[in-house]
Amino acid sequence: MKIVILGAGQVGASVAEALVHEANDITIVDNDRERLAALQDRLDLRTVCGNAALPSILGDAGLDDADLLIAVTQSDQTNLVACKIAKSRFNVPTRIARLRAADFLEDEQLLSDENFAVDFAICPEENITDYIVRLVDFPEALQVLEFAEGRLVMVAVRAYEGGALVGKPVRKLREHLPSQVDARIAALFRQDQPIIPEGETVIHAGDEVFIIAASEHIRPVLRELRRMMRPVKRVMIAGGGNIGYRVATALQQRLEVKLVEHNRSRAEWIAPRLGDTLVLCGDATDEDLLEQENIAEMDLFLALTNDDEDNIMAASLAKRLGCQRVLALINRRAYADMVQGGPIDIGISPAQVSIGTLLAHVRRADVSQVHSLRRGAAEALELVAHGDRNSSRVVGRSLGEIPLPKGVTIAAIVRDLETPEIIGYQGPVGIQAYGHVVIAHRDTVIQSGDHVIVFCVNKKLVHKVEKLFQVGFGFL
């Protein structure tokens, strides 16, 4: 596939890195020559320096025969103009734009082919906000991922010394669960090395365990792997930028939220808009300020400024002063790898969080969802199976028959996603959810239309998985 990416910032560079290893022809456009040179030194791609909103620059980038345009510059206006030009001048089949302003995101007519011609819009700040809110709901988790419109949840946790399954084989998990609850350990990482979990694989303390279950079952399953932390009630946020403001807005009605913003004019702007949040003007790396605001009584500290160093310093300080759990937004992957698991419980890469929704529109098979895991090293995909036993290598076959590449695990299936089923009762009233969850075992048979959750311990395996799920010519 020939892909043109506009913008060589964190998102653009991460997308290029994710796609360049999959036999794609990548061209990236930016007006920063040094940034382009650095990318070209480490990735096999072509670069064009210039203004991404100019037809001449887009022509130089090869848009006249491109299959896909991904416009992820820092400017909404540039991204919109580029998509419009790509449609009207170069007739590019698919156009994706990064947009921040709600005015654009909320007006579908404005993005239609007759106007700015955006096929799909992504908002990284919105994706990151949703991601952080899920972590607040599961304070013991390192990652929380949803599939099949929330019907399935995959959670990454650190196995702790003394946990019910530590020192025991993976097959023992089912013995610890109620008869009506099923789950699967999709992957293990031990000292950053992937281990494909089989029945006799023994879980060690400190292992990073990815476990998947129906949304209503995930909490009892987690209790078997580690201590459940007390629910989060008090949160302190460092940074009142787009992400900090969005997170405070999402949490303030159900939690006690304090937000620290160093810029006085910004603090004065957000304070009246966050009626249930205490907004403080100050520096989140100020030890006296944190102590005055009772940081030791906070359940969670979120460092969400635009500066990696400030986030690392503020989160580390909050942890030292007694905050139970701290999270930092870290753009540089080297920083995230260095600090997570030390003084900082969770380091989040904004680019890796946000590119998942974008990758779902790039994959060759019918992909509904992509989650980038372990800072881009692994991926979890939700693929829709099509065809029959004659036209597909997966449909009509049990998992034991499917030739999965080494390092690939089929973790679960959601069947009949449009059909409601009762998953529990609240008094006499039944609680409904759409789709039937099937936790994958060796004898599980995939049917056409199934949403199949696949875990790849190495993102280089994704291309093989896509080919496996593609329908042959025999399918009518």
Side-chain angles (χ1 to χ4, degrees):
M1 185 182 296
K2 185 170 183 180
I3 302 171
V4 176
I5 300 172
L6 309 181
Q10 290 292 333
V11 175
S14 296
V15 171
E17 188 172 3
L19 297 176
V20 76
H21 301 294
E22 301 173 15
N24 292 304
D25 179 0
I26 306 289
T27 300
I28 192 161
V29 179
D30 199 279
N31 53 18
D32 188 325
R33 290 186 183 278
E34 292 184 4
R35 185 179 289 171
L36 291 174
L39 269 178
Q40 200 163 30
D41 283 345
R42 62 187 182 89
L43 299 176
D44 182 18
L45 48 72
R46 178 171 169 260
T47 64
V48 174
C49 185
N51 184 341
L54 295 179
S56 58
I57 296 297
L58 295 176
D60 291 344
L63 218 58
D64 51 349
D65 61 347
D67 301 299
L68 172 66
L69 173 71
I70 302 175
V72 288
T73 74
Q74 296 285 345
S75 166
D76 285 4
Q77 292 85 346
T78 297
N79 297 336
L80 289 168
V81 168
C83 285
K84 180 62 177 176
I85 294 171
K87 171 66 176 177
S88 60
R89 177 84 171 265
F90 298 100
N91 200 29
V92 177
T94 306
R95 303 156 305 278
I96 299 174
R98 170 189 183 174
L99 299 174
R100 288 175 164 173
D103 288 10
F104 296 130
L105 290 165
E106 295 169 0
D107 191 336
E108 292 184 9
Q109 183 60 33
L110 202 60
L111 303 181
S112 67
D113 281 358
E114 296 74 29
N115 293 302
F116 283 114
V118 176
D119 290 313
F120 180 69
I122 63 166
C123 177
E125 291 84 357
E126 187 176 298
N127 296 334
I128 294 162
T129 298
D130 293 342
Y131 186 92
I132 292 171
V133 169
R134 288 198 297 270
L135 285 171
V136 172
D137 292 334
F138 291 86
E140 59 280 332
L142 300 171
Q143 278 187 291
V144 182
L145 314 168
E146 292 185 345
F147 298 93
E149 301 174 14
R151 189 70 185 88
L152 270 171
V153 179
M154 180 183 284
V155 177
V157 295
R158 188 83 61 190
Y160 73 97
E161 191 70 54
L165 287 177
V166 170
K168 298 182 177 66
V170 166
R171 61 180 170 80
K172 291 286 186 181
L173 173 63
R174 297 187 74 179
E175 298 177 14
H176 287 263
L177 299 175
S179 59
Q180 72 276 16
V181 175
D182 200 2
R184 177 171 177 138
I185 294 175
L188 286 172
F189 287 84
R190 183 172 299 153
Q191 296 177 347
D192 289 332
Q193 296 302 310
I195 296 173
I196 303 302
E198 298 175 346
E200 298 304 318
T201 303
V202 175
I203 298 174
H204 293 182
D207 283 355
E208 190 174 334
V209 183
F210 285 84
I211 190 160
I212 192 165
S215 55
E216 68 271 19
H217 294 156
I218 194 67
R219 290 191 185 278
V221 172
L222 287 178
R223 292 191 191 99
E224 295 304 318
L225 283 172
R226 61 169 296 123
R227 301 180 195 91
M228 296 294 286
M229 294 182 176
R230 67 174 186 261
V232 172
K233 295 181 179 178
R234 293 174 294 274
V235 177
M236 182 178 288
I237 300 171
N242 288 335
I243 295 173
Y245 175 72
R246 282 174 176 266
V247 172
T249 302
L251 298 178
Q252 65 176 355
Q253 291 186 343
R254 58 189 177 97
L255 303 176
E256 179 185 317
V257 180
K258 294 181 180 181
L259 186 148
V260 182
E261 167 57 43
H262 73 91
N263 184 290
R264 177 168 292 278
S265 62
R266 177 66 178 176
E268 290 174 347
W269 184 88
I270 63 177
R273 292 167 173 79
L274 294 174
D276 296 316
T277 296
L278 176 60
V279 178
L280 306 163
C281 184
D283 188 342
T285 61
D286 183 341
E287 184 172 346
D288 291 337
L289 174 63
L290 295 185
E291 287 185 327
Q292 287 171 12
E293 296 303 324
N294 302 314
I295 186 64
E297 296 179 7
M298 293 291 157
D299 300 311
L300 184 63
F301 181 87
L302 305 174
L304 308 179
T305 76
N306 295 321
D307 187 283
D308 284 0
E309 288 80 3
D310 280 354
N311 288 341
I312 293 170
M313 290 295 294
S316 301
L317 179 60
K319 189 74 169 183
R320 183 170 66 81
L321 294 176
C323 185
Q324 183 181 11
R325 196 159 175 82
V326 301
L327 176 153
L329 212 58
I330 304 172
N331 284 288
R332 298 187 190 180
R333 184 181 302 173
Y335 284 5
D337 291 339
M338 179 176 64
V339 302
Q340 180 165 302
I344 295 173
D345 297 297
I346 303 175
I348 295 181
S349 165
Q352 292 301 331
V353 171
S354 59
I355 67 171
T357 51
L358 190 154
L359 290 176
H361 292 262
V362 180
R363 300 303 187 201
R364 291 175 176 83
D366 186 354
V367 180
S368 296
Q369 188 78 19
V370 177
H371 288 294
S372 184
L373 311 172
R374 307 196 85 254
R375 293 176 289 284
E379 277 192 16
L381 301 93
E382 176 187 339
L383 301 107
V384 183
H386 296 289
D388 55 26
R389 191 174 175 88
N390 295 323
S391 61
S392 168
R393 282 178 283 181
V394 297
V395 173
R397 291 171 171 79
S398 67
L399 300 193
E401 296 179 83
I402 298 173
L404 293 175
K406 184 176 176 58
V408 174
T409 304
I410 292 179
I413 292 166
V414 176
R415 186 165 289 154
D416 302 324
L417 191 55
E418 304 302 319
T419 304
E421 71 173 32
I422 301 295
I423 61 171
Y425 289 88
Q426 191 167 14
V429 180
I431 302 171
Q432 279 191 345
Y434 282 84
H436 176 65
V437 173
V438 179
I439 299 301
H441 300 289
R442 186 173 178 81
D443 58 351
T444 302
V445 176
I446 295 177
Q447 299 177 10
S448 184
D450 283 353
H451 288 242
V452 184
I453 314 307
V454 181
F455 193 106
C456 302
V457 298
N458 189 317
K459 65 184 179 184
K460 293 181 181 179
L461 296 167
V462 170
H463 181 59
K464 293 181 179 180
V465 172
E466 291 175 333
K467 289 183 68 175
L468 192 64
F469 275 78
Q470 285 176 342
V471 177
F473 290 113
F475 178 54
L476 298 176

